[in-house]
Amino acid sequence: MAEAYIAAVARSAGGKRGGRLAAVHPADLAGKVLAGLVERSGIDPSAVEDVIMGCACPGGEQGANIARNAVLASGLPESVPGTHVDRQCGSSQQALHFAAATVMSGVQDVVIAAGVESMTRVPMGLPWTLPAKHGFGSYRSPGIEARYPNQPFSQFGGAEMLAKKYGLTRDVLDAYSLESHLRAAAATQAGKFDAEIIPLEVVTPEGETVVHKVDEGIRFDASLDRIASVKLLAEGGVISAASASQICDGAAALLVVNEAGLKAHGLTPLARVHQMTVLGHDPVIMLEAPIPATEKALARAGMKLSDIDLYEVNEAFAPVPLAWTQVLDADPARLNVHGGAIALGHPLGGSGAKLMATLVSALHDRRARYGLQTMCEAGGMANVTIVERL
């Protein structure tokens, strides 16, 4: 079987809710990143055989197959098709898995894995909350209710449950959140994101034309006192908005090819996809799945966590990477080395490709060999991807 390689990466800088990307239609946002990726790679745009795009809330402006709409908005040839993937927060990481499997099979040689989410323009949960509001029912079927009676599926509740299970206090969560901002700020100031971010000329909601190239959510003046002063999300809990991922607008894309694609188009690979795993787990605590999923991925790869040089564990909430680190006895110095979603934002279905762009860039920056990426997903699932820098 052929290998799968990542030959180019691209992402937008994250936009805050109502911020610099708020006036950009998500199909246009994703389209700009697709075009930037293709230009950066130097490949003939007509050589792209498919675009697989993750999106967690495929409704409204993100409905009607956002992948194809992004292609049409991008200026890529009409011959380039596109399809949408929904594995909630892991949608574009799953897009990478599908793209890699496709080129490994030899069915296609050049595929783009991508993701997008405009959380300003399509608020989180809109595709299921809006129909329910108008009398069209809920995704929670009688069968689900019978299996999980009176047990809500809530990411916020799951974060509190995770913190309690692993003894994570507010002080610990706040300290971790500060570190996320400090690492993201240091990476930005040192130009560590330059290899992955596509500068985008955008018109802000105020009508000003600007070049957007810095993640808007980073608190460059973050302090522990400020983080500790943020109100808790639930009385008696430990999670605040400061220890949760930021609502974010953003898009990212990865060029995935096999050996035939590399040779035909003169591409130099950045990384090889070494292992791909997905796992279902408890949908009530919901956010714990990255732990057993990582254990499964390492076992399948015949590796130990100590073999991995860098880890990207999505910071949906601070307890997620902290519990993962605690259970797996991971080295905190290798975790989210350029900051995570607490500082940089979590554009839901776009985060999988976004994190991989950052992981590949960080591996090259540090001349490290192996990287592992995982993220928690609604429904109690997790994807894990191990890549090798080339």
Side-chain angles (χ1 to χ4, degrees):
M1 183 178 290
E3 299 278 11
Y5 301 95
I6 298 173
V9 302
R11 72 172 179 93
S12 69
K16 293 172 62 175
R17 177 167 56 182
R20 285 189 160 190
L21 296 177
V24 184
H25 191 291
D28 291 341
L29 174 58
K32 290 174 185 288
V33 172
L34 291 178
L37 176 79
V38 170
E39 180 179 4
R40 175 174 285 178
S41 72
I43 197 169
D44 182 344
S46 66
V48 177
E49 295 172 88
D50 205 358
V51 173
I52 305 173
M53 184 171 290
C55 182
C57 295
E61 293 182 358
Q62 293 175 170
N65 190 359
I66 183 65
R68 176 59 172 167
N69 293 335
V71 168
L72 297 178
S74 72
L76 295 179
E78 291 178 342
S79 61
V80 178
T83 190
H84 161 251
V85 174
D86 177 6
R87 203 186 286 280
Q88 292 296 280
C89 294
S91 295
S92 56
Q93 189 170 356
Q94 184 60 53
L96 170 59
H97 287 198
F98 284 155
T102 299
V103 301
M104 289 168 70
S105 73
V107 171
Q108 293 173 328
D109 299 327
V110 180
V111 179
I112 293 176
V116 65
E117 207 82 39
S118 176
M119 298 182 74
T120 298
R121 299 173 74 94
V122 185
M124 184 167 56
L126 183 73
W128 52 94
T129 58
L130 187 60
K133 180 180 178 181
H134 290 279
F136 289 99
S138 167
Y139 70 89
R140 286 190 65 112
S141 71
I144 293 174
E145 292 294 349
R147 186 171 182 178
Y148 301 97
N150 301 313
Q151 298 181 73
F153 295 166
S154 165
Q155 58 177 321
F156 302 102
E160 294 287 358
M161 293 167 67
L162 199 62
K164 183 177 181 180
K165 180 173 180 177
Y166 292 101
L168 301 169
T169 65
R170 176 166 188 180
D171 288 347
V172 170
L173 302 182
D174 286 350
Y176 179 85
S177 302
L178 174 62
E179 185 66 21
S180 182
H181 284 283
L182 294 177
R183 290 186 179 192
T188 299
Q189 291 164 342
K192 303 294 187 183
F193 295 130
D194 292 352
E196 63 200 67
I197 290 178
I198 300 286
L200 300 180
E201 186 175 284
V202 298
V203 178
T204 69
E206 295 75 30
E208 180 185 6
T209 299
V210 299
V211 175
H212 179 59
K213 59 181 182 179
V214 175
D215 294 288
E216 253 186 312
I218 304 169
R219 305 288 195 269
F220 288 91
D221 59 351
S223 71
L224 194 56
D225 287 344
R226 288 184 182 179
I227 288 173
S229 71
V230 177
K231 183 180 177 181
L232 293 170
L233 297 179
E235 186 176 348
V238 292
I239 309 291
S240 74
S243 54
S245 57
Q246 293 188 41
I247 289 174
C248 182
D249 304 331
L254 313 164
L255 185 64
V256 183
V257 301
N258 55 22
E259 291 94 334
L262 290 175
K263 184 176 180 180
H265 304 287
L267 297 167
T268 301
L270 298 174
R272 179 179 67 89
V273 177
H274 185 69
Q275 210 285 321
M276 300 177 288
T277 289
V278 64
L279 181 72
H281 195 251
D282 182 353
V284 179
I285 194 169
M286 191 181 291
L287 312 179
E288 194 175 25
I291 297 170
T294 297
E295 292 172 332
K296 179 181 178 180
L298 291 170
R300 290 184 63 187
M303 302 177 77
K304 304 182 297 294
L305 191 61
S306 58
D307 297 325
I308 306 295
D309 299 293
L310 297 177
Y311 338 119
E312 282 289 330
V313 181
N314 191 41
E315 295 172 358
F317 297 88
V320 178
L322 285 172
W324 185 91
T325 301
Q326 181 185 127
V327 174
L328 299 175
D329 193 25
D331 180 358
R334 305 183 190 189
L335 173 67
N336 299 349
V337 294
H338 291 165
I342 288 170
L344 298 165
H346 174 22
L348 300 183
S351 286
K354 173 181 179 292
L355 264 62
M356 184 54 69
T358 296
L359 179 57
V360 169
S361 296
L363 287 170
H364 277 267
D365 178 67
R366 296 178 176 231
R367 308 298 296 171
R369 184 177 182 184
Y370 286 111
L372 181 149
Q373 174 185 317
T374 186
M375 79 171 59
C376 55
E377 301 155 0
M381 300 180 290
N383 282 67
V384 180
T385 314
I386 299 173
V387 295
E388 180 184 15
R389 177 188 66 84
L390 298 174

